Amino acid sequence: VAAFRATLEEVLEADIIVHVRDAAHADSDAQRSDVYEVLEELGLGEDDERPLIEALNKIDLLTEDDRAVTMTAAAASQQNAGGTIENPLRVALSAETGEGVDELLALMEQTLTAAHETILIALPAGDGAARAFLHARTEIIEEHVDEENVVLKVRLSKKTRGQFFKQFPDASDVSLTQQKRKRA
């Protein structure tokens, strides 16, 4: 239990929580309760805003009927769940066969980037460090280069946006400038 608790303490630093469950285990629901009890002891309760996904693993070991029920419940959770500890998003998968793994990865990406915004950033053409920062930490949607400037349409988190403009004050948020012009 101590080793289990120490592992779960890493969750306190996570941006997203993925709880991998053994969907084929007879005591899967009891195991779920044990994990959530420890998470609550660590301070992750109903008010925690981090998204939670339950990966219902080992569907390849389920009977056809149990598999259908698990798959249906997982699909329904993605339509109705809030992605919280009380109401997690679920995905059914088999790590053994690979079925559902792509769906899990897509759900993780969608969940992690849900609050990202798309903006236009203008940089001096010679500012390679700023371009490298954006290429490493954002999703580049478009990039236009001329002799003087590089204009990039990027998708990024608010945290990354703040870090970027603090580190590269010569860059400008073109989308913000355009919004100000529209208001004037």
Side-chain angles (χ1 to χ4, degrees), residues 116-184:
H116 286 193
E117 58 188 348
T118 302
I119 64 171
L120 290 173
I121 298 175
L123 311 169
D127 195 344
R131 281 178 77 185
F133 180 101
L134 292 172
H135 278 275
R137 295 178 179 88
T138 72
E139 176 187 351
I140 306 293
I141 299 168
E142 292 178 26
E143 185 172 1
H144 301 282
V145 182
D146 62 31
E147 288 93 36
E148 296 179 22
N149 294 305
V150 177
V151 178
L152 300 105
K153 184 175 187 180
V154 300
R155 191 165 148 74
L156 73 173
S157 68
K158 289 180 183 179
K159 179 180 176 182
T160 302
R161 179 184 185 162
Q163 290 171 338
F164 175 78
F165 286 110
K166 183 177 181 180
Q167 189 171 341
F168 302 101
D170 291 339
S172 61
D173 183 340
V174 178
S175 52
L176 188 60
T177 304
Q178 289 175 350
Q179 288 174 4
K180 288 178 183 176
R181 283 187 200 149
K182 286 180 184 177
R183 287 186 209 142

Side-chain angles (χ1 to χ4, degrees), residues 11-83:
V11 171
L12 297 174
E13 301 299 319
D15 293 328
I16 186 173
I17 301 167
V18 179
H19 176 202
V20 181
R21 293 181 53 195
D22 181 348
H25 195 281
D27 289 330
S28 183
D29 289 335
Q31 291 174 341
R32 176 186 189 272
S33 295
D34 290 343
V35 169
Y36 290 141
E37 186 176 307
V38 174
L39 288 175
E40 285 182 19
E41 288 174 14
L42 293 171
L44 298 161
E46 293 177 27
D47 59 340
D48 193 88
E49 294 182 8
R50 279 177 281 201
L52 188 129
I53 298 172
E54 284 186 352
L56 305 173
N57 191 25
K58 299 188 180 181
I59 60 170
D60 55 303
L61 301 179
L62 296 174
T63 66
E64 190 174 317
D65 288 344
D66 287 344
R67 179 185 171 96
V69 168
T70 301
M71 300 284 282
T72 302
S77 80
Q78 292 178 32
Q79 300 299 314
N80 304 317

